[in-house]
Amino acid sequence: MGSMEADLKVIAAAIKKPEFVKVQEDFFEKYMNEFEEGDENKLIYTTIHNEYQELVEGLLTKEVGEELLIRVCEGMEAFIEATKEAPPSEDIVEAIDIMSSMGEFLAFKGTMLYKRKEKMNQGSSSINISGKNVTVIDLDGVMGTLSELQNVQDQKGWEQVAQDKSLQITMDIKKSDTEKDVRYARFRINIDMPIEQSRECFGPDVPIETSKEWTLSDYVKDFSLVREMAPCDWIFKMEFSFPWIVRYIMNMPLEMHLRVKMKMDYPAAGDMSWVEAPYDISTNSCLEAQGPMKVRAWVAHQDPADDQKTVLTMLEKHATKSWCVSGHVMCG
């Protein structure tokens, strides 16, 4: 055991070097937002873990040599078993943690989830894009609010502020019944087809070329799938052709990425929900806003008054007295 302990001390010294710490922290920063709580292990997790294995193995091989690294990997399990009653020093525990994360997927996933939570607990995490700090958000957290937002729909106090009868679109707002200075905004679009048909038209199995038919316009010149993160979880690229004055006023980029997550039969059976957010592909982060594009949560459900119609609802919760919703400023 003494030889194994000495080898682990060599590794512990190597992982404390500033260059190793920086490379590892940069890796965590780049990928931690990809990982989510739950039993599902997405294909991209394995890809990221393999990249981490190659990165750490390469750094440690350079620092301590391949022979020592192999020796530690082969003796790790026996060493952990032998030290159950007398835990080793903190440095050695840290070395074991690094080696476990490198070799065992679940240990690696646990580390990534811990780093993600640690970052989120620091307050509003943000990244710098073109010289501006942009808030990073948790898209699963947005999805988790859909049930709350749907329940608000049944409450009294909604005030209609806009309507387009030809497009069957209305916008309503209401004050929260329980939270001070909190208001809700609701956009409703009536679609002349039953929810089953709507699921077929807008659901996860719709080909990207079909999606383009209602996405492309005079100002959206291209819409393409960049990556499928998991079933019902995609990253899209949008290219715009707005006049330069519009781009300047609205701080609109020429192109941007959008992450979309969809969930069927949520928040109620038969419903179809999805959330979308601007996405920074260089850091794998969902953003609260990019230019005029903001996080949005959508629910498609059967019209309670007509089972041959679908109601598509976009719901937003705002914790300030004045807010901006899809380009309209609503003041309290």
Side-chain angles (χ1 to χ4, degrees):
M1 190 173 77
S3 175
M4 183 66 176
E5 190 168 351
D7 287 345
L8 283 168
K9 285 182 178 179
V10 173
I11 290 176
I15 65 177
K16 286 187 177 297
K17 289 187 175 182
E19 53 269 31
F20 184 93
V21 173
K22 185 179 186 310
V23 169
Q24 185 169 241
E25 288 301 321
D26 286 348
F27 185 92
F28 292 151
E29 186 74 23
K30 181 178 180 180
Y31 288 118
M32 64 184 175
N33 289 313
E34 297 288 353
F35 287 77
E36 300 162 353
E37 296 283 0
D39 296 331
E40 181 187 3
N41 292 318
K42 302 176 182 178
L43 180 60
I44 195 169
Y45 294 178
T46 303
T47 302
I48 295 171
H49 183 223
N50 290 339
E51 184 178 335
Y52 180 77
Q53 283 181 308
E54 292 178 10
L55 177 68
V56 173
E57 188 175 339
L59 291 171
L60 289 179
T61 299
K62 183 179 178 181
E63 287 292 329
V64 306
E66 185 178 2
E67 185 178 338
L68 185 146
L69 204 58
I70 292 173
R71 192 163 63 237
V72 168
C73 289
E74 291 176 347
M76 181 77 69
E77 188 175 343
F79 179 81
I80 293 173
E81 182 66 29
T83 55
K84 274 186 176 180
E85 302 300 324
S89 68
E90 187 175 333
D91 285 354
I92 289 180
V93 170
E94 192 173 343
I96 291 172
D97 184 51
I98 291 286
M99 297 298 291
S100 297
S101 294
M102 184 175 73
E104 298 176 15
F105 170 75
L106 290 179
F108 171 74
K109 181 182 177 183
T111 298
M112 296 300 281
L113 289 172
Y114 173 78
K115 290 292 182 182
R116 182 170 180 256
K117 285 182 179 178
E118 188 178 53
K119 181 75 173 181
M120 298 298 288
N121 289 338
Q122 289 175 0
S124 292
S125 64
S126 63
I127 58 175
N128 189 284
I129 298 178
S130 301
K132 295 183 178 181
N133 285 330
V134 181
T135 301
V136 175
I137 56 97
D138 178 5
L139 211 57
D140 282 330
V142 177
M143 180 69 82
T145 67
L146 284 177
S147 183
E148 172 200 346
L149 292 172
Q150 279 290 84
N151 290 335
V152 172
Q153 288 206 90
D154 298 328
Q155 298 175 4
K156 297 179 180 179
W158 285 99
E159 176 187 354
Q160 184 174 298
V161 295
Q163 183 180 34
D164 187 319
K165 292 184 178 180
S166 62
L167 296 176
Q168 300 188 76
I169 299 174
T170 58
M171 178 184 173
D172 310 300
I173 59 172
K174 81 176 296 292
K175 293 181 179 180
S176 171
D177 295 339
T178 57
E179 298 177 79
K180 184 181 179 181
D181 293 338
V182 169
R183 300 191 183 192
Y184 295 92
R186 175 178 67 184
F187 292 82
R188 290 181 297 171
I189 306 172
N190 294 315
I191 304 174
D192 291 326
M193 62 175 70
I195 184 63
E196 294 81 6
Q197 190 176 348
S198 295
R199 286 165 63 110
E200 292 176 3
C201 290
F202 305 108
D205 297 326
V206 176
I208 185 66
E209 293 303 319
T210 302
S211 299
K212 282 186 176 183
E213 293 179 10
W214 60 76
T215 304
L216 299 184
S217 66
D218 291 341
Y219 301 118
V220 181
K221 67 178 184 179
D222 197 19
F223 178 76
S224 57
L225 177 65
V226 175
R227 186 191 305 165
E228 184 172 5
M229 308 293 285
C232 298
D233 186 355
W234 310 273
I235 296 173
F236 296 101
K237 180 180 178 181
M238 301 179 73
E239 296 181 37
F240 305 106
S241 57
F242 289 98
W244 74 267
I245 188 65
V246 174
R247 288 192 285 109
Y248 176 78
I249 294 172
M250 300 180 68
N251 191 28
M252 192 76 183
L254 284 172
E255 62 180 47
M256 67 173 293
H257 291 86
L258 192 71
R259 185 163 180 179
V260 179
K261 297 189 74 170
M262 182 175 284
K263 199 168 184 179
M264 307 301 286
D265 296 307
Y266 182 84
D271 293 350
M272 178 174 65
S273 303
W274 67 93
V275 291
E276 56 188 45
Y279 189 78
D280 183 61
I281 202 161
S282 64
T283 59
N284 295 301
S285 302
C286 290
L287 311 177
E288 188 175 57
Q290 186 177 10
M293 302 293 288
K294 302 181 185 299
V295 177
R296 291 176 175 175
W298 298 83
V299 180
H301 55 96
Q302 179 178 295
D303 187 335
D306 188 343
D307 62 9
Q308 295 303 302
K309 291 186 177 182
T310 296
V311 178
L312 179 59
T313 308
M314 186 184 79
L315 295 157
E316 296 177 328
K317 179 180 180 181
H318 301 270
T320 55
K321 290 185 179 180
S322 297
W323 69 92
C324 178
V325 183
S326 300
H328 302 280
V329 177
M330 316 300 301
C331 298

